[in-house]
Amino acid sequence: DQQVKQNSPSLSVQEGRISILNCDYTNSMFDYFLWYKKYPAEGPTFLISISSIKDKNEDGRFTVFLNKSAKHLSLHIVPSQPGDSAVYFCAASKWSNDYKLSFGAGTTVTVRA
Amino acid sequence: NAGVTQTPKFRILKIGQSMTLQCTQDMNHNYMYWYRQDPGMGLKLIYYSVGAGITDKGEVPNGYNVSRSTTEDFPLRLELAAPSQTSVYFCASSYSGTGGLNPYEQYFGPGTRLTVT
């Protein structure tokens, strides 16, 4: 049962514009959320995270928004750059002492010049 | 720091063969994880370990075994390989303890692409 869903498999955006990636979750016990970025033939790398006590976290060009009532989070990339072309995974975790993550299926972002 | 290293990068197995995927981290992380990623799917947790000598099943453990005799190494064993185990396997690690590191932030290796035919 997929508890973390990324319903858009792909996104194409022009360089300099905003990329918005969406993620929905079904488990109300999730209280920590992360975004990972993955290039081909490499492992995922951590991008940004947010705790359920916040509704926004910003790091440079990347901002994550959390709407707990809707069980929805989004990642905004502004402005998009060619190096942002990658697969982006949303992940979530329940508070526990094993820090296990549940991942979405990923969204492939292509930034057009 | 090399981070998380995985060997081999690629492997083709025949049905019924066995193999061990190696994973080593040099960051003194206490937590280690094994995931598989199938095409169009997210990463699914196979096994994890919260420290040397302690392992536990994840979401999809059938057909796999692990051991954690040292902090650094977390090998994944496939017994009697089946076509359903064709996938890309990722090892990851994280740290929980003093030092200010985020325990939810996992560091991933480059992956092992396994084909079973």
Side-chain angles (χ1 to χ4, degrees), chain B residues 2-4 8 20 22 27 30-31 47 51 55 58 62 65-66 69 86-87 92 95 110:
Chain B
V4 179
T20 299
Q22 301 292 347
M27 298 174 283
N30 44 358
Y31 288 73
Y47 270 94
T55 62
N62 290 345
N65 274 303
V66 293
S69 56
T86 294
S87 190
Y95 181 76

Side-chain angles (χ1 to χ4, degrees), chain A residues 1-2 31-32 34 36 38 41-46 49 89 93-101 103-106, chain B residues 31 33 35 37 40-45 48 50 57-59 90 94 96 102-111:
Chain A
D1 179 31
Q2 193 82 2
D31 62 0
Y32 197 86
L34 308 90
Y36 278 81
K38 183 184 179 306
E42 295 183 11
T45 55
F46 170 75
S49 62
F89 291 100
S93 183
K94 296 179 278 190
W95 186 90
S96 67
N97 58 4
D98 54 31
Y99 306 104
K100 293 186 295 185
L101 299 179
F103 282 85
Chain B
Y31 288 73
Y33 308 84
Y35 295 91
Q37 186 192 9
M41 307 288 285
L43 284 75
K44 293 194 183 299
L45 183 65
Y48 68 100
V50 301
K57 296 178 180 178
E59 189 182 351
F90 291 102
S94 67
S96 174
N102 181 348
Y104 293 99
E105 182 181 335
Q106 296 180 14
Y107 293 75
F108 283 80

Side-chain angles (χ1 to χ4, degrees), chain B residues 1-82:
Chain B
N1 275 359
V4 179
T5 57
Q6 292 183 238
T7 57
K9 284 188 167 44
F10 304 93
R11 184 74 187 266
I12 298 175
L13 277 184
K14 293 190 185 306
I15 295 171
Q17 287 185 321
S18 301
M19 76 164 294
T20 299
L21 281 67
Q22 301 292 347
C23 175
T24 300
Q25 52 90 11
D26 63 358
M27 298 174 283
N28 200 32
H29 285 178
N30 44 358
Y31 288 73
M32 295 188 75
Y33 308 84
W34 272 106
Y35 295 91
R36 59 176 286 173
Q37 186 192 9
D38 299 326
M41 307 288 285
L43 284 75
K44 293 194 183 299
L45 183 65
I46 305 171
Y47 270 94
Y48 68 100
S49 169
V50 301
I54 306 169
T55 62
D56 208 346
K57 296 178 180 178
E59 189 182 351
V60 289
N62 290 345
Y64 307 94
N65 274 303
V66 293
S67 60
R68 183 100 182 268
S69 56
T70 66
T71 299
E72 295 78 19
D73 300 305
F74 191 39
L76 178 72
R77 178 83 178 158
L78 279 71
E79 304 282 2
L80 297 175

Side-chain angles (χ1 to χ4, degrees), chain A residues 11-78:
Chain A
L11 171 69
S12 180
V13 63
Q14 193 159 17
E15 182 178 1
R17 307 295 287 267
I18 184 171
S19 294
I20 300 177
L21 290 75
N22 293 304
C23 177
D24 297 295
Y25 60 95
T26 57
N27 191 333
S28 58
M29 300 296 289
F30 287 148
D31 62 0
Y32 197 86
F33 305 89
L34 308 90
W35 286 93
Y36 278 81
K37 178 178 180 179
K38 183 184 179 306
Y39 292 119
E42 295 183 11
T45 55
F46 170 75
L47 189 58
I48 192 169
S49 62
I50 188 167
S51 163
S52 60
I53 63 173
K54 295 185 174 183
D55 54 18
K56 176 182 174 181
N57 189 28
E58 192 171 352
D59 184 1
R61 297 186 296 112
F62 303 91
T63 303
V64 56
F65 297 92
L66 176 61
N67 183 334
K68 290 190 294 290
S69 61
K71 295 192 180 69
H72 176 83
L73 62 155
S74 62
L75 174 69
H76 292 206
I77 307 173
V78 185

